[in-house]
Amino acid sequence: MRMTVPTHLGDIAVRCLSPFAGARREGAPGPSGAPALLLLHANPGDGRDFDAVLPALADRYRTFVVDWPGYGGSTAPEPARVSPEGLVEVAERVLDALAEEHGVREVAVLGNSVGGYVACRLAEGPRAASVTSLVLVDPAGFTRQTALTRWFCREVMGRPARARRLVVPLARAYLGRLGTPSARETYARVRALPQDETRLAVHCALWRGLADPDFGLADPAALDLPILLLWGSRDPVVPAFLDGRRARRQLPAGTLSVRLPTAHEPYNERPGLFLRHVLPFLENPRAVAARRLRPPSRPRIR
């Protein structure tokens, strides 16, 4: 099932999946009573990037997968207007629509990259009361802004003429080994992006937005909810030894932090390992965060 949410940046496509009777664990609530989960993808990409882990998530949760403006099934009449702050407003409108049309009053939010930034903003903004927990996957918003990072965001990845040549090699690096069908399909979609003027314009506009002086979180340490922070140790976009370390320092002390042997999208590269950490957290976020589970030194699950 799909729903369309009108916003100031375009009509937003949201895939809606509910647990079906044969998939539910014994004693688990039915579809209408299952917990809700919102998935927010990276730039570029769309909701299909989560396909490798979506079956396991949708077996347990009412799962809602957003396509950002101009990506997937969503429109972007003015792609140059899309910005990280605009995505926050889009996500707020999606939460309102989920409450109105699906009765969703509380939701866990899982976001990757700019989707992780939006997830944090939801948890510190006017919809904070409806957000129950966060799963942040290599989130944006923790890079220290310097003259170099602002120049790269604005003048390199933010300019279509330059980004057109760089977006595919960068995706090849941040998607890792391309060892899963989902990762290969995600890469194939990125390879088509340089020829799609709308998607390319959205991609560049979001990069330019990362250099905006107003971009950033108000006070990450003040987020008052369970948080699972997952970071790929081989991420070339937001390196674990820089951005990941800053995120661990800035987020609340109770944040559960796990470093995975992946690049920027662990749910694509190592879906089994990703789910091994995410599913127990979503099952009981406060209990898992309290135990501060530590990952095995040599994970065996792919």
Side-chain angles (χ1 to χ4, degrees):
M1 176 183 172
R2 291 181 181 269
M3 64 183 291
T4 300
V5 181
T7 75
H8 71 294
L9 291 179
D11 292 337
I12 303 304
V14 182
R15 224 182 335 166
C16 310
L17 302 98
S18 292
F20 57 92
R24 292 200 306 274
R25 294 153 295 159
E26 185 176 354
S32 62
L37 174 65
L38 180 67
L39 304 185
L40 305 176
H41 66 83
N43 173 47
D46 60 47
R48 291 173 290 181
D49 296 355
F50 292 110
D51 279 357
V53 297
L54 194 55
L57 296 174
D59 278 355
R60 296 162 172 80
Y61 304 97
R62 287 185 292 167
T63 305
F64 302 94
V65 190
V66 172
D67 287 341
W68 291 132
Y71 291 140
S74 297
T75 65
E78 298 179 76
R81 290 184 56 210
V82 179
S83 69
E85 304 313 310
L87 297 188
V88 175
E89 296 176 27
V90 164
E92 290 175 346
R93 179 67 193 100
V94 168
L95 288 185
D96 293 343
L98 293 180
E100 294 165 6
E101 300 186 28
H102 292 269
V104 173
R105 307 298 174 188
E106 294 185 333
V107 61
V109 184
L110 187 159
N112 173 222
S113 198
V114 72
Y117 171 76
V118 174
C120 288
R121 288 292 308 280
L122 289 176
E124 68 177 15
R127 308 303 189 281
S130 66
V131 180
T132 59
S133 61
L134 297 179
V135 178
L136 306 178
V137 186
D138 298 60
F142 295 96
T143 301
R144 188 168 67 90
Q145 285 211 8
T146 65
L148 178 61
T149 59
R150 288 192 293 269
W151 171 80
F152 181 78
C153 292
R154 288 175 179 159
E155 303 301 329
V156 180
M157 299 308 293
R159 301 299 175 191
R162 294 170 177 166
R164 195 187 305 272
R165 298 192 298 270
L166 295 175
V167 63
V168 175
L170 183 59
R172 181 63 188 86
Y174 70 65
L175 286 171
R177 299 177 298 110
L178 300 183
T180 65
S182 175
R184 291 190 290 272
E185 290 162 8
T186 298
Y187 182 56
R189 289 191 289 272
V190 176
R191 290 186 64 185
L193 186 145
Q195 289 74 48
D196 187 323
E197 295 300 328
T198 296
R199 290 172 65 208
L200 181 63
V202 169
H203 167 272
C204 292
L206 285 170
W207 271 97
R208 291 194 299 272
L210 299 178
D212 192 290
D214 294 331
F215 174 75
L217 302 172
D219 184 4
L223 292 172
D224 186 20
L225 75 173
I227 301 172
L228 171 61
L229 176 68
L230 299 174
W231 217 289
S233 61
R234 294 184 281 102
D235 191 333
V237 181
V238 281
F241 68 92
L242 291 176
D243 302 74
R245 187 174 299 171
R246 282 173 60 84
R248 290 193 298 274
R249 287 201 305 262
Q250 293 181 15
L251 288 167
T255 297
L256 174 62
S257 178
V258 178
R259 185 179 292 194
L260 300 176
T262 66
H264 192 59
E265 298 188 4
Y267 49 86
N268 250 329
E269 189 176 352
R270 300 284 296 275
L273 178 61
F274 178 82
L275 290 168
R276 178 178 176 177
H277 292 285
V278 170
L279 290 178
F281 176 80
L282 290 175
E283 183 75 21
N284 196 337
R286 294 196 180 277
V288 172
R291 290 198 302 268
R292 300 297 301 271
L293 293 179
R294 301 181 66 182
S297 57
R298 293 188 177 182
R300 297 179 180 179
I301 298 179
R302 290 189 177 274

